[in-house]
Amino acid sequence: MTLSHRHRQILELLLSRNVDVTAGEIAAEINVSTRTVHRELTELEAIISSSGLSLQKKSGKGIQLQGDLQDIEAFKRKLHDAAAIEHSSQDRKLFILCTLLDEDEPVKLFALAHSLRVTIPTITNDLDELESWIQKSNLTLIRRRGYGVGLNGTEMNKRKLIARLARNYLDESDLYGKSARSPSPLVMKLLQLIGKSYFADVEAALWDAEDEGLNKLSESEYTRLLIDISILIARMKQGKVIEANVETETIRRSDLLTHTIEQLSKIVPMEWPEAEIRYLAELLQPEEPHPNQLLPFDELSYMEIVWKLIRRMEERSGVSYSEDRSLRDGLLSHLESALKRLQAGATIRNPLLTQIKRDYEELFEAIRLSVNETITEPAVPDEEIGFLVMHFGASLERQKQLRRNVRAIIVCTSGIGTSKMLAVRLTKELPQIEILGHVSWFEAVHIPEAEYDLIISTVDLPLDDDQYIKLSPLLTKDEAERLRLFIQNVTLQKDNGRDQGAVVRNLKHSTESLHRIRLYVNEIVRIVDGFSVYPLDQSFHSLRETLQVMCEYARQSGYIEDVESIVELLLERERLSSQVIPDTELALFHIRSGRVLEPTLTLFQLKEDLLLDQPVSPGVRHVLLMLGSQELPKESLEVLSEISSYLLLPEMIELLRTGEQSEIKQFLSRELTAFLENKK
């Protein structure tokens, strides 16, 4: 059976649905016109008839694949084995790249053309387009007549390229889930290249280590580490090891490194070269931020995008989205990651896009227009708009939250907005559910069963069927009913009473929560009480001179020990990027240092424009100096970061320009009180 790529897409969609699907839904899912779908369906009827199947078309309802269960299962197996003739240009290039990374010997053009069912000139054109991209990875594409095609470069650079491909073109469901549809040949090849079969063993080794540094990793950082180590194992198994370095610097073998090598040696029973041990040590060493970095470098630029997007949506809908701090935080986290992926050329996939467009048509269109007005580069595809719909949809639903009493944990790999959307949909449809929290997929499988009644996930998990249920983030009526039955027939049949141990754990949780809130309160009171407005009436001849006077004020106020060292750090930070806040008369200078005795926030009002080493628009006469000590508590960092986000609020900007010290303190107190409420 030979099928085009489009035929395969339509068949896989029909096989994955037990309900009628309209031609319009199919068209939206595979990104073609409805007319094209009808033409393809006509061709498909002849193809599937030989397998005992047919297409049932109901006017006004849709299309469904019909046949005996036995025939349908046999057809699924046949479809899995069938080779797709048609590949997209991008898929072809990725397939070629994966093949070159996997092969030790040069690959003939004829072999590539035969595998992809295209002509040799098509492969040649694909290689032309790949060449510059390969060079950016510090690798060289070798092409010689009679030789074939190969990649030349270090093993480390090849591994980095494999990891980059995985991050850009695979999602969490590809990496660890069990998909209802057969993965494409490209996905299968890429999964093989990154050593997916070793994921469970690598994860077990990492979890068994119980390292504090690993526990602090975010889900994306943990997944990246998992991929990198699995690639290491896969390449070593193939004999593709990192080249020995002439430098013989001794490796400091931490407990984590020693333990991980011991565990991984059970998977790769071979002698580990010194170069591979060094490489693994680098992978296990988390990336440290710049030692003098107080706030993330790009935080204000991404926050500006978030505020603009929220304001555009408020203008279009009249909904007070800016009052929803959870929306702001979710958008900031999601957009920063999404825009970086788009800038790197990654493909955004959203399997819920068709349903989102259908169920949230007006919201989708409003966000599409708002994003077009807010983000000019990079181009934002509809798939990403679909994820933003989840964030704003969750914000709309949050107003309807109800009380819950069934302990549940949510696992959702599509982002914060998606998981929150599911949470509020759950509380609306089933108010007896108490959401204990949102966790990552790798945390879910390690949470003791006594701490929850149910796990609700949007992806398959490696857990027993009575421990979790898989739902769509949109929670359809059918899914809500299925969840009710699951709770009645499975969850509540187990021992769901709260034992004395659960009471103790809840009491401990409440105590820890109160302690955490106290820490935030202490930091807020200390920073707001210490805030001051200080006018500088003299003229300055350089930025250094201006900063020296500011830091001298901080020293006399007891916030820093040494003026010159802090000035040098502030100048270094300014050289990295301008501290001027766009479209304002404000600049924010911030660093952390061991010479800072306690966090401080001071507004300096200048008589003349601030002199900067970098060219900026004139008129900057208000400078905020934000200083933090080297070992700053997490709570203090969060409070300072929260304050920095206010610098994009029109009310805050106006207050800093014209307000009195007491008015600015009052504003900070009000906003930080709301911030604190969100932490409870």
Side-chain angles (χ1 to χ4, degrees):
M1 179 175 65
T2 57
L3 295 167
S4 72
H5 179 63
R6 199 172 288 150
H7 285 155
R8 176 184 289 275
Q9 286 181 302
I10 294 173
L11 285 171
E12 288 182 342
L13 180 62
L14 293 174
L15 285 166
S16 68
R17 303 283 181 89
N18 295 321
V19 295
D20 296 319
V21 184
T22 67
E25 289 174 334
I26 296 174
E29 180 77 19
I30 66 175
N31 199 27
V32 296
S33 68
T34 304
R35 179 179 298 180
T36 298
V37 170
H38 285 299
R39 185 178 66 247
E40 298 289 344
L41 288 172
T42 302
E43 297 174 2
L44 276 176
E45 284 187 286
I47 294 173
I48 65 175
S49 61
S50 60
S51 299
L53 305 179
S54 63
L55 295 177
Q56 185 180 50
K57 302 175 183 178
K58 300 178 185 176
S59 179
K61 293 192 68 177
I63 305 145
Q64 195 170 14
L65 199 63
Q66 293 289 310
D68 294 336
L69 183 60
Q70 199 171 11
D71 290 336
I72 290 176
E73 289 301 319
F75 184 77
K76 283 182 180 179
R77 291 192 294 270
K78 190 186 296 184
L79 182 64
H80 180 269
D81 296 334
I85 296 173
E86 189 178 313
H87 297 269
S88 69
S89 173
Q90 183 185 52
D91 283 358
R92 274 201 320 272
K93 289 195 282 283
L94 286 173
F95 194 92
I96 292 170
L97 196 50
C98 288
T99 301
L100 297 179
L101 285 164
D102 196 35
E103 296 293 335
D104 291 323
E105 300 296 326
V107 182
K108 299 293 185 182
L109 290 180
F110 173 78
L112 290 172
H114 180 74
S115 298
L116 293 166
R117 309 283 183 92
V118 294
T119 63
I120 290 179
T122 298
I123 296 295
T124 301
N125 184 65
D126 289 339
L127 289 169
D128 290 339
E129 295 180 14
L130 274 173
E131 192 154 12
S132 62
W133 201 78
I134 290 172
Q135 287 175 349
K136 292 178 183 178
S137 300
N138 295 317
L139 297 170
T140 305
L141 185 65
I142 306 298
R143 303 161 70 179
R144 289 200 296 268
R145 186 181 298 276
Y147 170 86
V149 187
L151 280 182
N152 188 22
T154 66
E155 173 63 19
M156 184 179 294
N157 286 336
K158 290 180 181 179
R159 293 184 190 182
K160 289 179 179 178
L161 178 54
I162 294 170
R164 194 178 306 123
L165 292 176
R167 291 194 299 272
N168 288 345
Y169 299 102
L170 296 176
D171 57 30
E172 286 83 355
S173 294
D174 293 326
L175 292 172
Y176 69 91
K178 297 176 291 183
S179 176
R181 302 186 198 179
S182 302
S184 69
L186 174 61
V187 169
M188 290 177 64
K189 193 168 189 67
L190 194 46
L191 289 174
Q192 181 182 13
L193 202 58
I194 67 172
K196 181 182 183 293
S197 59
Y198 303 118
F199 272 25
D201 293 315
V202 174
E203 186 185 3
L206 295 176
W207 273 93
D208 189 49
E210 297 183 352
D211 180 76
E212 184 178 346
L214 292 179
N215 294 335
K216 292 179 180 178
L217 294 179
S218 66
E219 181 176 357
S220 60
E221 291 169 334
Y222 183 89
T223 302
R224 176 178 296 204
L225 178 61
L226 185 61
I227 291 172
D228 286 339
I229 297 180
S230 296
I231 292 171
L232 180 155
I233 298 297
R235 303 290 283 186
M236 281 185 65
K237 289 274 281 187
Q238 296 172 353
K240 300 170 182 175
V241 296
I242 289 179
E243 301 81 0
N245 197 319
V246 292
E247 298 178 2
T248 56
E249 183 182 344
T250 304
I251 303 172
R252 189 181 67 84
R253 297 209 178 194
S254 64
D255 292 340
L256 174 60
L257 177 61
T258 302
H259 171 84
T260 306
I261 291 176
E262 288 176 356
Q263 296 299 312
L264 296 182
S265 295
K266 299 174 183 177
I267 310 171
V268 187
M270 59 179 285
E271 189 69 27
W272 279 59
E274 193 73 6
E276 291 291 354
I277 296 175
R278 188 184 304 278
Y279 180 63
L280 179 60
E282 292 175 359
L283 294 180
L284 292 172
Q285 181 66 36
E287 291 186 15
E288 295 290 341
H290 191 281
N292 303 121
Q293 180 180 330
L294 180 58
L295 302 175
F297 285 152
D298 299 326
E299 182 176 89
L300 279 179
S301 61
Y302 287 111
M303 182 57 74
E304 184 181 13
I305 293 173
V306 168
W307 277 120
K308 285 183 178 178
L309 180 58
I310 287 175
R311 289 183 190 122
R312 296 280 193 280
M313 286 298 295
E314 287 183 329
E315 291 167 2
R316 283 193 161 83
S317 65
V319 177
S320 298
Y321 288 115
S322 58
E323 300 297 320
D324 187 350
R325 290 172 177 276
S326 185
L327 171 65
R328 189 193 71 189
D329 294 342
L331 286 175
L332 180 61
S333 174
H334 176 81
L335 273 174
E336 182 175 357
S337 172
L339 291 178
K340 285 180 178 178
R341 291 191 69 208
L342 287 171
Q343 287 163 353
T347 300
I348 303 293
R349 292 192 287 170
N350 189 341
L352 299 169
L353 181 59
T354 302
Q355 190 175 353
I356 290 170
K357 283 185 171 180
R358 183 181 65 240
D359 296 346
Y360 297 89
E361 183 179 359
E362 290 185 13
L363 185 59
F364 185 94
E365 289 303 319
I367 294 175
R368 174 79 274 177
L369 293 171
S370 298
V371 167
N372 289 347
E373 295 170 357
T374 305
I375 305 171
T376 55
E377 289 290 337
V380 180
D382 281 358
E383 287 77 7
E384 176 56 30
I385 299 297
F387 286 123
L388 295 179
V389 168
M390 309 300 277
H391 285 270
F392 282 96
S395 182
L396 291 172
E397 293 283 349
R398 259 190 289 276
Q399 304 171 36
K400 306 171 186 178
Q401 286 186 348
L402 302 172
R403 297 186 63 84
R404 290 80 68 182
N405 58 23
V406 173
R407 301 176 301 161
I409 294 168
I410 292 181
V411 176
C412 189
T413 62
S414 298
I416 296 173
T418 309
S419 60
K420 289 186 176 179
M421 179 74 169
L422 177 57
V424 293
R425 296 284 296 172
L426 284 168
T427 57
K428 178 182 177 182
E429 296 292 334
L430 297 108
Q432 72 269 34
I433 294 181
E434 175 190 4
I435 306 300
L436 297 180
H438 311 268
V439 302
S440 59
W441 58 268
F442 60 86
E443 290 174 317
V445 297
H446 294 281
I447 297 175
E449 288 188 49
E451 295 186 8
Y452 64 90
D453 300 315
L454 170 68
I455 291 178
I456 300 171
S457 175
T458 59
V459 294
D460 292 298
L461 296 175
L463 295 172
D464 294 337
D465 291 341
D466 64 347
Q467 286 181 261
Y468 86 106
I469 183 171
K470 179 184 174 183
L471 300 173
S472 156
L474 300 177
L475 192 66
T476 63
K477 289 184 178 179
D478 289 342
E479 287 178 321
E481 183 58 30
R482 184 160 62 88
L483 178 57
R484 287 190 187 94
L485 292 174
F486 187 90
I487 292 172
Q488 292 171 358
N489 300 329
V490 180
T491 305
L492 297 181
Q493 297 303 314
K494 297 188 290 185
D495 181 17
N496 60 349
R498 293 176 180 263
D499 58 14
Q500 187 63 33
V503 174
V504 172
R505 284 191 298 272
N506 288 338
L507 180 60
K508 179 182 178 183
H509 175 75
S510 299
T511 304
E512 290 173 350
S513 177
L514 288 173
H515 178 69
R516 188 178 70 253
I517 295 300
R518 188 190 69 184
L519 294 176
Y520 282 112
V521 170
N522 291 342
E523 292 301 325
I524 289 172
V525 170
R526 180 165 61 173
I527 292 171
V528 173
D529 279 354
F531 173 78
S532 60
V533 177
Y534 192 76
L536 297 178
D537 297 326
Q538 65 265 52
S539 298
F540 298 101
H541 300 93
S542 67
L543 176 59
R544 176 183 292 275
E545 186 181 342
T546 310
L547 292 175
Q548 283 173 335
V549 172
M550 292 179 183
C551 290
E552 177 59 31
Y553 172 81
R555 188 192 66 78
Q556 292 178 7
S557 301
Y559 293 117
I560 65 174
E561 291 180 338
D562 175 61
V563 170
E564 285 305 318
S565 63
I566 301 299
V567 169
E568 288 299 330
L569 293 175
L570 290 169
L571 289 171
E572 179 186 340
R573 179 65 183 86
E574 167 65 15
R575 284 191 286 270
L576 291 174
S577 63
S578 174
Q579 305 301 284
V580 175
I581 300 168
D583 305 320
T584 72
E585 298 175 6
L586 302 171
L588 170 63
F589 282 82
H590 57 92
I591 56 97
R592 65 196 302 179
S593 168
R595 299 297 182 93
V596 177
L597 302 176
E598 64 176 277
T600 177
L601 182 68
T602 308
L603 175 65
F604 293 92
Q605 298 174 330
L606 279 64
K607 183 179 72 171
E608 300 173 352
D609 290 359
L610 178 67
L611 297 172
L612 290 167
D613 297 334
Q614 300 185 31
V616 295
S617 301
V620 177
R621 296 197 176 188
H622 300 80
V623 180
L624 269 175
L625 182 63
M626 184 184 287
L627 304 176
S629 54
Q630 193 67 52
E631 301 300 326
L632 206 59
K634 177 177 72 73
E635 293 77 17
S636 185
L637 275 174
E638 289 189 32
V639 172
L640 291 173
S641 179
E642 177 72 10
I643 291 173
S644 73
S645 72
Y646 302 157
L647 300 181
L648 297 168
L649 297 176
E651 183 180 354
M652 179 64 165
I653 293 171
E654 186 61 25
L655 276 174
L656 292 174
R657 282 198 326 107
T658 62
E660 299 292 333
Q661 177 175 300
S662 59
E663 294 176 307
I664 300 173
K665 279 190 173 185
Q666 185 177 5
F667 175 85
L668 289 174
S669 298
R670 185 181 75 235
E671 293 298 316
L672 288 171
T673 298
F675 161 79
L676 192 60
E677 285 294 322
N678 209 42
K679 290 293 180 182
K680 293 181 180 179

